Amino acid sequence: MAQVNIIIVDANERQQVGADLKRILWSDKLYDVALINGSFKGQRHFNRSSLRLVILVLPPIRKHAEKLLMELRSAPGQTPLLPVIDANVSTEELGDWIGWAEDFLVMPLRAAEVCARVRRLAGLEKPVLSRSAINETLEAQALAQLIGEDQEFVSLKRRIPSVARFESTVLLTGETGTGKERFARALHYSSRRAAKPFLAVNCGAIPLDLLESELYGHQKGAFTGAFAAQTGLVAEAERGTLFLDEIETLSLGSQVKLLRFLQDWTYYPIGSARVKQADVWIVASTNVELPTKIKEGTFREDLFYRLAVISLALPPLRQRKTDIPLLAAHFWKMYAPKAGRSREDLSAEVMDALCEHSWPGNVRELENVVQQLAVLTESNRVGLDDLRIPRASPRSDRSRISFAQKKAGVIEEFERSYITELLQLHQGNVTHAAQEARKDRRALGRLIKKYQITKR
């Protein structure tokens, strides 16, 4: 049997993944494998007419990956492309990649999996990539993005498959930066809707007068500026999931319409008299206490109970300190290669400083800090001086002294200062100083001697 021609395109500088793939495939004498870099134009190997498969190792920077994809897909011929995706890629990006790919590989590479997928795409076996297999991969990838071993966090993560199976309306609560959208995505990709759209809308970022149009759409001429009909996000998310972030920012009028929608899943586009039916899963989130908003009269109680059929409260990072090293290491491995740095782990002193910080911005703040370390640090090794967070001062011995010791120290400091000023005022005359202090002259003399204060 003639050898099967395969090209591995690795746009990364060291081409380590490409070399690993080549070594795996060379173990089977069935393949003739060539490894080239991302600049494949003019390469004598790149002849799509004789190729059976192109394996593409995507670079970590998204715009570079998209450019390389466009070049490869626009080349003549119909050779299948097999992308190799980094394990740290977001679930959203993974969904984009597999939208056009017939199959894909996720690092770290496993030889048996590589060989099985290559055989299918090279035509040696019938290509099969079931939708259930895609859904399972998306679910695993989404859950892998929720990093942590804290007991409360793990308990929340375990509930995701059950919640996703029932698809009841979910309210995610937690401080800014705790990962509410990541949880929403994990819920979506763990549900039967995984292959359908996941749309996130920040309710607070859309002007109030445009919010209903964005959600439900409008007809042409429905209002000034409506020059054409527009499909709303509810329709675009059909059979998928709509994530409503910062739900507390909705106006009372918008809350009424959302409540009506949640009751029977019907809505009217603005300017239309025709009712539309929707099949969409609603997941909402907030970083405030909605019961407080209800008492203030700015949030409807009936809408709250309609949204919070299932409520999941995400803990702040300061309550899961043991997860900080795991998250920091994850973000470092994600951003260090993109910044052209080695994957060498962060030092123990840097990790200690990260663990001591209170992280008011939670996981998002930690990610930003680690990204800054990767991009802005000039030296090869990251040190404490490169950290752009306030660091706690080391505890002094004075913080561990007793109340009596602290009191005695304050008294001594007062007496020394008071007597010095008194003697300066009376030009060293102890008698006059004692009279003003209303203290016995000999007692004052003992204090002068105790604190070694000169009469001059």
Side-chain angles (χ1 to χ4, degrees):
M1 181 183 293
Q3 285 188 313
V4 174
N5 294 327
I6 296 175
I7 283 182
I8 301 170
V9 180
D10 190 346
N12 297 283
E13 183 178 356
R14 297 184 181 180
Q15 295 189 305
Q16 184 60 52
V17 177
D20 292 341
L21 282 165
K22 188 174 182 179
R23 185 171 60 254
I24 291 171
L25 294 175
W26 264 4
S27 63
D28 191 334
K29 299 186 182 298
L30 186 64
Y31 304 115
D32 180 15
V33 185
L35 172 61
I36 63 175
N37 60 29
S39 302
F40 57 84
K41 291 183 178 179
Q43 294 270 358
R44 62 182 180 84
H45 298 286
F46 199 77
N47 182 356
R48 294 291 280 263
S49 61
S50 63
L51 277 178
R52 297 286 287 276
L53 178 63
V54 175
I55 302 177
L56 175 60
V57 182
L58 291 169
I61 301 176
R62 177 162 182 153
K63 64 179 182 180
H64 295 167
E66 290 175 344
K67 180 181 178 182
L68 184 58
L69 279 170
M70 289 179 63
E71 292 177 353
L72 277 169
R73 295 176 69 188
S74 63
Q78 300 296 323
T79 307
L81 295 178
L82 177 63
V84 181
I85 302 168
D86 190 280
N88 291 320
V89 72
S90 68
T91 309
E92 181 181 12
E93 289 177 314
L94 181 60
D96 292 343
W97 300 144
I98 68 171
W100 53 265
E102 297 173 70
D103 205 339
F104 59 95
L105 291 166
V106 178
M107 292 186 284
L109 298 173
R110 292 176 288 275
E113 182 180 2
V114 170
C115 292
R117 294 177 187 266
V118 167
R119 286 183 67 86
R120 286 202 299 269
L121 285 182
L124 302 177
E125 293 179 4
K126 184 179 179 180
V128 176
L129 182 61
S130 66
R131 178 51 59 183
S132 61
I134 292 179
N135 289 355
E136 289 175 4
T137 302
L138 288 170
E139 178 182 0
Q141 192 74 2
L143 293 173
Q145 298 291 317
L146 303 178
I147 299 168
E149 297 178 354
D150 174 78
Q151 185 175 357
E152 182 181 356
F153 187 81
V154 171
S155 177
L156 282 173
K157 190 174 175 180
R158 284 175 180 165
R159 298 177 195 173
I160 288 176
S162 298
V163 174
R165 186 164 57 251
F166 287 97
E167 294 185 5
S168 300
T169 308
V170 178
L171 179 64
L172 299 172
T173 63
E175 297 176 7
T176 299
T178 50
K180 295 185 289 295
E181 184 171 342
R182 284 187 184 273
F183 259 84
R185 288 185 181 276
L187 287 167
H188 169 74
Y189 288 114
S190 299
S191 73
R192 62 182 177 87
R193 302 174 182 267
K196 299 302 179 181
F198 174 89
L199 298 183
V201 53
N202 188 325
C203 298
I206 302 175
L208 293 179
D209 55 343
L210 296 178
L211 182 61
E212 292 177 25
S213 173
E214 288 291 321
L215 287 178
Y216 310 116
H218 63 256
Q219 296 296 308
K220 179 180 179 180
F223 50 84
T224 303
F227 300 112
Q230 176 179 302
T231 303
L233 293 171
V234 170
E236 291 182 10
E238 180 67 16
R239 298 177 65 192
T241 303
L242 184 60
F243 175 54
L244 302 177
D245 193 17
E246 296 188 12
I247 194 70
E248 76 281 357
T249 60
L250 288 179
S251 66
L252 289 173
S254 298
Q255 292 177 37
V256 172
K257 292 193 175 183
L258 178 60
L259 177 63
R260 187 179 300 120
F261 172 70
L262 293 175
Q263 287 171 344
D264 56 13
W265 303 103
T266 61
Y267 65 99
Y268 291 89
I270 298 177
S272 174
R274 186 176 179 181
V275 67
K276 290 197 172 186
Q277 186 80 33
D279 175 15
V280 63
W281 186 19
I282 296 294
V283 179
S285 75
T286 180
N287 57 19
V288 303
E289 294 290 338
L290 287 184
T292 302
K293 292 287 184 180
I294 293 171
K295 291 179 180 179
E296 295 172 352
T298 58
F299 200 86
R300 294 180 62 96
E301 186 174 13
D302 47 3
L303 178 58
F304 169 73
Y305 288 116
R306 182 68 67 173
L307 290 170
V309 176
I310 295 178
S311 183
L312 301 176
L314 277 60
L317 189 54
R318 63 180 175 274
Q319 292 181 8
R320 39 187 290 232
K321 289 275 191 178
T322 54
D323 288 341
I324 292 176
L326 295 175
L327 288 162
H330 168 75
F331 293 136
W332 180 254
K333 288 179 181 178
M334 181 189 301
Y335 292 115
K338 295 181 181 180
R341 309 180 69 89
S342 67
R343 288 177 179 256
E344 181 182 350
D345 295 338
L346 293 170
S347 65
E349 59 180 8
V350 170
M351 279 293 191
D352 289 342
L354 293 176
C355 291
E356 290 173 2
H357 188 50
S358 59
W359 300 110
N362 294 293
V363 179
R364 185 182 298 125
E365 182 189 2
L366 174 60
E367 180 176 1
N368 291 344
V369 167
V370 174
Q371 186 174 1
Q372 289 174 358
L373 284 176
V375 174
L376 301 180
T377 302
E378 296 180 355
S379 60
N380 292 330
R381 183 174 176 79
V382 177
L384 285 176
D385 293 338
D386 300 308
L387 272 177
R388 287 165 175 78
I389 57 173
R391 296 199 299 275
S393 301
R395 292 200 314 169
S396 65
D397 291 339
R398 295 184 66 183
S399 65
R400 295 190 290 270
I401 65 177
S402 67
F403 173 82
Q405 290 173 314
K406 182 73 174 178
K407 180 180 177 181
V410 172
I411 291 174
E412 287 182 2
E413 186 175 348
F414 163 74
E415 288 180 339
R416 181 183 290 106
S417 175
Y418 178 78
I419 294 171
T420 300
E421 292 178 3
L422 202 60
L423 287 173
Q424 289 175 344
L425 180 63
H426 294 281
Q427 299 178 346
N429 190 313
V430 178
T431 301
H432 292 170
Q435 289 174 350
E436 181 170 335
R438 297 180 183 180
K439 193 173 184 67
D440 181 75
R441 186 185 186 285
R442 284 178 294 181
L444 184 62
R446 287 195 293 269
L447 289 174
I448 292 172
K449 184 177 181 181
K450 174 183 177 181
Y451 298 123
Q452 297 179 349
I453 302 172
T454 60
K455 297 178 183 180
R456 294 188 295 275

